[in-house]
Amino acid sequence: MKNRKSIFAFFAISAAMIFASCSNLTDANVTSSSEDKNTLNIEVTNYDEVVTQASKSANHASRTIIPDSFDSNGVDFYLYGTNTSGGTFGPEKVTFKGNADAAAGGAASKTVGTISIPANSAVWEFTLVAVAPQGATAPTEATLKDNAVLIGYSSMDMLNGDTAKFTLSPDGLTKKAEIAMKLYTEGWALPTGFTAKAGIYLLTTGADAGTDAAPTEKEVAFTDATINETNTVDYAIASFAPGTYLFKVTFEKTGSNKKFYWSDVLVVLPGKTINNAVGIPNVIGEKPEAPTEFKAGYVENSEDKFSGWYTTAFEWERGSKNENNFEIEVLEFKDADTAVAPPTSDDEWTAASTGGSSFVTYGSKFSSEANYESGSLLSGNTKAQLRLELGKRYFARIRAVNDAGESAWTLVALADAPAEPTGTKAFTGTINRYRLTYFMNGGAYYDDKAAADADTAGTGGKTADIVSYHCEDSTTGIEIMKADGTPIIKKNTYTWSYWSKDGKSETASRYNEPGAAPEAYTGYKNLDLYAMFATDASVAIFDKKSLEIQADWITVAFSGTPEAGENATLTGKTATIEVTKQTEVKWTFTPGEVKDAAGKKIENFAYDKVNFTVTKGGTTFEAKSADNVGAAKEFAMSLSNLPAGIYQVMFTAHYGTTTVSYPITTTITR
């Protein structure tokens, strides 16, 4: 495509000193300007798709349809906010600077701005806006929002941090824009029998961005003459909401079920006119090119928000502009205690997937997957997030797909994390996060030896179990707490002796015994360690495995008498509900035997609480719980408001500080 307009001149001028990709911030330290003022650091992240485009040619592979430039004076940035104590701040103008990486000639880095705000420990809700220069008069919040061309939001507590991070976009602003684009076929004539339609669509869902009464999709009357910028076809919408969209041209031959697409991300800014002349290349019958720069990283602090899962973020660049959608394959390596080398070619991928490992392909219906988090694999998107299970190893690859065929696969690179969301970290070796849990087992934790020695009764310290999350490190590993060092664990007057890997006292289950060399965990599976105490016969130790939910503990059935063809079946962690008239299905949770460390059944055992949830794509449809569950407990699941699709049914059982879960992928058909 050739975009003939001046492209976002403001960004071209200020990108070098203001915006960033994904380098670590090096100069965002708190300094106090006075006793009652603190320096707030401001980062603007992830509007680099527009910024990057501004510093490159108009033929760059994405993010090229953008409005006329701002005026030559650029824009100003203003910050304002409120806090939970009722205080307000601003609006005040923000001064930006580049960081050390950019100054040294390195890769472009995050926007870094500073501003002095009241030193208040309450949680702040900040708004950052970009507007045309406002002159000497201090603008009000209303003025800023009415005139903003970009806006972003951030929440933070000044007591626990000093940096507010913003993603700026036009999304959510209301001042209407105008679309007045000129389209042509860039040197080729539309073949006989083909028609062309152009429209503006929502990036995540692919739906028309207009209304039912006024859709944006319309036929484009290309002729043999409209092959250059001199002879163009108008695509015009007088009033359109600001935001980030997909502009797509569809070519279809009468009588054929194949369609071919060309698309580009369209950034609509408030009050601006998009009057670009856009040349469309010939994509009819052409396969898409392979995506590039495919990355994956784990989203910090996402572990166990859904019990047993964490969020993985994927990011890539479009290889061409003619895909219908992308496909991501996620390979789960077979269960093995030794380190696994990720595939480096399609042949190695195939060999791995036929050697006991398995993979799942996510495509155009990505948002309907049970473990979907955000993003989309539809045309024009370059970001997606999904939940993966803790304690498993994965790898991934991506390709682009259209009606002409598929591109080559691109294997994921794990050295650098995606830029979004903020706080995403790089994996090491494979895609893996695991949970390390130290169960106090009735003991108390002391991180200071003197305090532990002084507490002769052994009743102080911290009693909560210690949980941390890590990536597999098959070389160095994660160092495990040692029983004859610091920290110290006590149970009354009994002495912490060693860790047990399964709550049993057999030698084979012991971890890091006193006198032995310190051990580091080099595995990838979730690791539970139980504190064991010398001469303490009263310590009640459960067999961890028997606490886990078993497949035969759960059943599913209709509440009423099924109609012909209606079924509710459950096999392992997969359920199918075929429904025509039933309005409810009941899930029954019946705990089985729970045993102690010696293998003896514990009589009258009951879980403290059992939670039952039904979710899809981040939306929760059912959330119920029951206390003191030792016998059969029914959980009703309403079918009335559940359309056909794939849902995640989750049972989560709690006993003391132990939590176990059992996910069931449930397909509802009607």
Side-chain angles (χ1 to χ4, degrees):
M1 187 195 83
K2 293 183 175 62
N3 183 337
R4 305 298 186 180
K5 302 301 295 182
S6 173
I7 301 176
F8 234 175
F10 153 66
F11 284 113
I13 295 170
S14 59
M17 70 174 183
I18 297 181
F19 283 89
S21 59
C22 60
S23 302
N24 288 329
L25 183 65
T26 60
D27 59 347
N29 297 317
V30 173
T31 57
S32 294
S33 56
S34 69
E35 291 185 355
D36 60 349
K37 291 281 187 176
N38 274 351
T39 296
L40 173 69
N41 296 285
I42 298 169
E43 295 179 11
V44 175
T45 64
N46 205 51
Y47 210 73
D48 54 304
E49 60 265 33
V50 178
V51 179
T52 301
Q53 175 56 34
S55 62
K56 297 185 178 181
S57 72
N59 294 312
H60 188 245
S62 65
R63 276 64 174 175
T64 56
I65 304 178
I66 50 184
D68 243 349
S69 64
F70 293 103
D71 60 47
S72 58
N73 293 324
V75 295
D76 289 337
F77 286 85
Y78 284 86
L79 182 78
Y80 56 89
T82 60
N83 66 38
T84 51
S85 299
T88 62
F89 170 78
E92 286 196 21
K93 191 174 180 180
V94 181
T95 302
F96 284 97
K97 59 181 178 178
N99 72 9
D101 291 340
S109 197
K110 291 179 179 177
T111 303
V112 181
T114 59
I115 196 167
S116 293
I117 71 166
N120 190 311
S121 62
V123 175
W124 284 89
E125 300 291 339
F126 289 117
T127 300
L128 183 70
V129 296
V131 296
Q134 298 295 294
T137 303
T140 64
E141 291 182 20
T143 299
L144 290 172
K145 198 153 189 178
D146 287 343
N147 294 283
V149 288
L150 296 169
I151 194 166
Y153 308 92
S154 180
S155 177
M156 69 164 297
D157 187 339
M158 286 296 291
L159 183 65
N160 298 312
D162 60 13
T163 302
K165 300 179 180 181
F166 297 86
T167 298
L168 290 177
S169 81
D171 301 343
L173 297 175
T174 57
K175 189 175 183 179
K176 299 295 185 179
E178 180 182 359
I179 311 292
M181 298 166 63
K182 309 290 184 181
L183 309 181
Y184 59 99
T185 55
E186 200 172 60
W188 61 283
L190 196 65
T192 302
F194 275 85
T195 58
K197 292 181 179 179
I200 301 173
Y201 306 89
L202 302 178
L203 271 168
T204 302
T205 65
D208 194 301
T211 63
D212 291 341
T216 67
E217 185 178 270
K218 56 190 71 177
E219 188 166 333
V220 181
F222 287 128
T223 67
D224 290 348
T226 55
I227 61 174
N228 55 57
E229 194 175 351
T230 304
N231 301 287
T232 60
V233 178
D234 289 335
Y235 178 86
I237 301 176
S239 180
F240 200 70
T244 306
Y245 305 96
L246 185 75
F247 178 72
K248 182 170 67 176
V249 181
T250 304
F251 300 99
E252 184 176 11
K253 187 174 183 178
T254 304
S256 172
N257 60 358
K258 290 188 176 182
K259 296 180 180 181
F260 302 98
Y261 306 97
W262 176 92
S263 63
D264 204 357
V265 172
L266 174 70
V267 179
V268 180
L269 297 185
K272 296 295 180 181
T273 298
I274 297 182
N275 56 359
N276 304 52
V278 180
I280 315 298
N282 187 357
V283 296
I284 295 174
E286 295 292 325
K287 295 181 181 180
E289 295 294 324
T292 62
E293 301 297 320
F294 185 38
K295 302 176 182 178
Y298 64 90
V299 179
E300 198 170 31
N301 300 321
S302 66
E303 300 91 351
D304 275 330
K305 288 186 176 179
F306 287 81
S307 182
W309 303 75
Y310 68 97
T311 300
T312 296
F314 293 101
E315 177 182 275
W316 63 94
E317 293 289 340
R318 299 173 72 188
S320 55
K321 299 182 179 182
N322 62 329
E323 76 280 342
N324 179 56
N325 63 274
F326 298 96
E327 289 182 348
I328 290 179
E329 280 190 354
V330 176
L331 177 72
E332 180 188 334
F333 292 112
K334 64 181 179 181
D335 189 10
D337 290 330
T338 56
V340 177
T344 58
S345 66
D346 289 347
D347 289 342
E348 290 185 9
W349 182 284
T350 302
S353 63
T354 56
S357 299
S358 60
F359 64 86
V360 177
T361 302
Y362 301 93
S364 58
K365 296 182 179 180
F366 175 65
S367 61
S368 297
E369 298 289 345
N371 54 337
Y372 166 80
E373 189 75 20
S374 67
S376 176
L377 297 183
L378 296 177
S379 176
N381 286 276
T382 60
K383 297 175 179 66
Q385 296 177 37
L386 76 159
R387 295 187 291 274
L388 295 176
E389 285 194 68
L390 289 162
K392 293 187 176 182
R393 291 180 176 132
Y394 300 93
F395 204 60
R397 63 180 183 176
I398 190 173
R399 69 180 178 184
V401 178
N402 67 14
D403 279 0
E406 303 86 19
S407 74
W409 289 103
T410 300
L411 293 170
V412 70
L414 301 178
D416 298 314
E420 282 192 37
T422 301
T424 300
K425 305 294 185 183
F427 292 107
T428 55
T430 61
I431 297 173
N432 167 259
R433 292 289 279 168
Y434 68 86
R435 182 198 310 111
L436 172 59
T437 307
Y438 296 99
F439 289 96
M440 295 298 101
N441 208 9
Y445 168 92
Y446 303 80
D447 53 15
D448 179 81
K449 188 176 187 305
D453 291 342
D455 185 13
T456 56
T459 56
K462 305 169 187 175
T463 59
D465 299 330
I466 301 172
V467 180
S468 59
Y469 300 91
H470 310 275
C471 292
E472 176 188 14
D473 183 348
S474 59
T475 303
T476 305
I478 299 298
E479 186 175 347
I480 302 299
M481 290 184 194
K482 189 139 171 53
D484 54 355
T486 301
I488 292 174
I489 299 174
K490 283 186 174 184
K491 177 177 170 58
N492 300 323
T493 58
Y494 298 106
T495 304
W496 174 34
S497 181
Y498 56 87
W499 293 113
S500 169
K501 290 185 284 187
D502 54 9
K504 297 180 180 180
S505 59
E506 287 88 346
T507 301
S509 73
R510 299 183 182 186
Y511 211 107
N512 267 13
E513 289 191 79
E519 293 185 60
Y521 182 62
T522 57
Y524 66 95
K525 299 178 183 177
N526 295 331
L527 178 63
D528 294 336
L529 297 176
Y530 297 81
M532 305 291 279
F533 303 89
T535 67
D536 187 0
S538 66
V539 176
I541 304 172
F542 286 84
D543 178 358
K544 169 66 173 172
K545 186 124 184 108
S546 73
L547 283 171
E548 294 178 356
I549 300 171
Q550 305 301 311
D552 59 359
W553 294 9
I554 300 171
T555 60
V556 61
F558 288 117
S559 297
T561 303
E563 300 284 335
E566 289 189 320
N567 292 287
T569 59
L570 172 62
T571 304
K573 294 185 177 181
T574 303
T576 300
I577 299 174
E578 299 172 294
V579 58
T580 56
K581 295 184 178 180
Q582 295 291 329
T583 59
E584 185 179 81
V585 67
K586 61 182 179 182
W587 297 80
T588 304
F589 178 85
T590 308
E593 288 189 353
V594 174
K595 302 176 182 179
D596 63 18
K600 181 181 178 181
K601 178 182 176 181
I602 298 173
E603 299 296 335
N604 300 318
F605 172 83
Y607 287 102
D608 298 332
K609 177 175 285 190
V610 173
N611 295 325
F612 171 80
T613 59
V614 181
T615 60
K616 178 182 179 183
T619 300
T620 300
F621 294 90
E622 297 273 8
K624 299 178 178 178
S625 65
D627 296 328
N628 195 33
V629 179
K633 175 64 182 178
E634 290 184 358
F635 295 91
M637 171 178 161
S638 174
L639 298 172
S640 303
N641 297 319
L642 297 182
I646 300 175
Y647 296 81
Q648 178 92 351
V649 172
M650 179 74 76
F651 284 89
T652 306
H654 308 269
Y655 183 77
T657 58
T658 300
T659 299
V660 292
S661 61
Y662 194 89
I664 302 170
T665 300
T666 303
T667 302
I668 297 178
T669 60
R670 295 185 177 275

